[in-house]
Amino acid sequence: GEEVAQTPKHLVRGEGQKAKLYCAPIKGHSYVFWYQQVLKNEFKFLISFQNENVFDETGMPKERFSAKCLPNSPCSLEIQATKLEDSAVYFCASSQSGLAGLYEQYFGPGTRLTVT
Amino acid sequence: GNSVTQMEGPVTLSEEAFLTINCTYTATGYPSLFWYVQYPGEGLQLLLKATKADDKGSNKGFEATYRKETTSFHLEKGSVQVSDSAVYFCALSDRGGGGSNYKLTFGKGTLLTVNP
């Protein structure tokens, strides 16, 4: 598609429950990025993929967070045993690569996760 | 590491006023620079970009010039409208080359409110 699609738009989970978020990148874009936007607008990079391969996972809290981008499927971000501090808006972005590196990143509308 | 500092808001202006939002950066390499805009309840939209020194990005009446000597990328608009009310984020990413991770590093955002 021509836009990055994210589902669901809103997700409510009780503390300790699992949360799974999905992202369909723009067709033809080989890079996918996940960011977490917490209170006061602060963005935190979580993980990026080049096609189905993890490209950079330096931002991931590995003990509870995992992510995948499998061929012919939406990418996913999963949080096992959610905590209150996981409440945030999770954005997915995609980008295509060029000779000089990557082009700009295009963002999806986000998934708002509320942990109660 | 990379970092972005932008003026903290909120900024409140009357319609047709001149807008400047300051942004300075620190980067280990030679980054690409971006301004993103987030309207209430929506995701991030790319507003403009610049990829090399002295480049001017422009879109919808907004402009920003990549100033390598002052490590700045200030956003300006000559005459704001009520519809420009949003949060504006300055961001940078590595441009490419060995070791680039391409993740966006964001400033903390500036809330702009334009009154009729």
Side-chain angles (χ1 to χ4, degrees):
Chain A
E2 294 297 320
E3 293 181 341
V4 177
Q6 288 189 252
T7 55
K9 192 168 183 178
H10 300 282
L11 192 58
V12 180
R13 289 289 179 266
E15 205 171 6
Q17 291 185 320
K18 184 173 72 175
K20 195 164 186 178
L21 292 61
Y22 297 92
C23 167
I26 293 172
K27 193 175 180 181
H29 284 194
S30 54
Y31 284 80
V32 170
F33 299 80
W34 285 97
Y35 296 90
Q36 180 192 54
Q37 186 182 28
V38 295
L39 288 175
K40 295 192 177 180
N41 296 322
E42 192 169 328
F43 279 88
K44 179 188 172 188
F45 166 78
L46 294 175
I47 191 169
S48 60
F49 288 84
Q50 181 182 15
N51 297 310
E52 60 267 26
N53 304 308
V54 174
F55 185 71
D56 179 0
E57 57 182 349
T58 53
M60 283 286 268
K62 290 183 184 175
E63 58 276 8
R64 295 183 300 108
F65 284 60
S66 63
K68 294 179 187 176
C69 276
L70 300 176
N72 303 313
S73 297
C75 296
S76 63
L77 176 69
E78 188 168 344
I79 309 172
Q80 301 284 345
T82 53
K83 296 184 178 180
L84 294 176
E85 63 258 32
D86 298 331
S87 294
V89 182
Y90 292 82
F91 286 101
C92 172
S94 72
S95 179
Q96 62 184 47
S97 60
L99 291 176
L102 288 195
Y103 294 103
E104 57 270 22
Q105 294 179 30
Y106 290 90
F107 282 74
T111 293
R112 180 176 295 278
L113 172 66
T114 302
V115 181
T116 60
Chain B
N2 296 338
S3 67
V4 175
T5 303
Q6 63 180 100
M7 62 186 286
E8 293 195 21
V11 173
T12 302
L13 297 173
S14 297
E15 207 164 22
E16 299 184 3
F18 184 84
L19 168 71
T20 299
I21 301 178
N22 289 337
C23 171
T24 57
Y25 67 89
T26 303
T28 51
Y30 189 179
S32 292
L33 302 174
F34 307 89
W35 277 100
Y36 282 86
V37 58
Q38 187 174 30
Y39 297 101
E42 297 186 12
L44 284 175
Q45 297 179 25
L46 177 66
L47 182 59
L48 52 84
K49 66 175 182 179
T51 57
K52 60 183 188 293
D54 301 324
D55 264 2
K56 179 186 281 188
S58 61
N59 185 27
K60 299 181 182 179
F62 291 89
E63 293 182 339
T65 301
Y66 191 144
R67 300 287 187 202
K68 194 176 180 204
E69 64 277 10
T70 55
T71 62
S72 64
F73 193 54
H74 304 321
L75 182 68
E76 296 182 337
K77 186 174 186 182
S79 176
V80 294
Q81 306 300 312
V82 172
S83 57
D84 294 327
S85 298
V87 181
Y88 292 81
F89 292 91
C90 185
L92 67 81
S93 72
D94 293 332
R95 286 202 309 161
S100 294
N101 56 33
Y102 303 125
K103 67 182 180 185
L104 285 168
T105 300
F106 288 90
K108 294 187 176 180
T110 302
L111 173 63
L112 170 66
T113 301
V114 180
N115 295 318

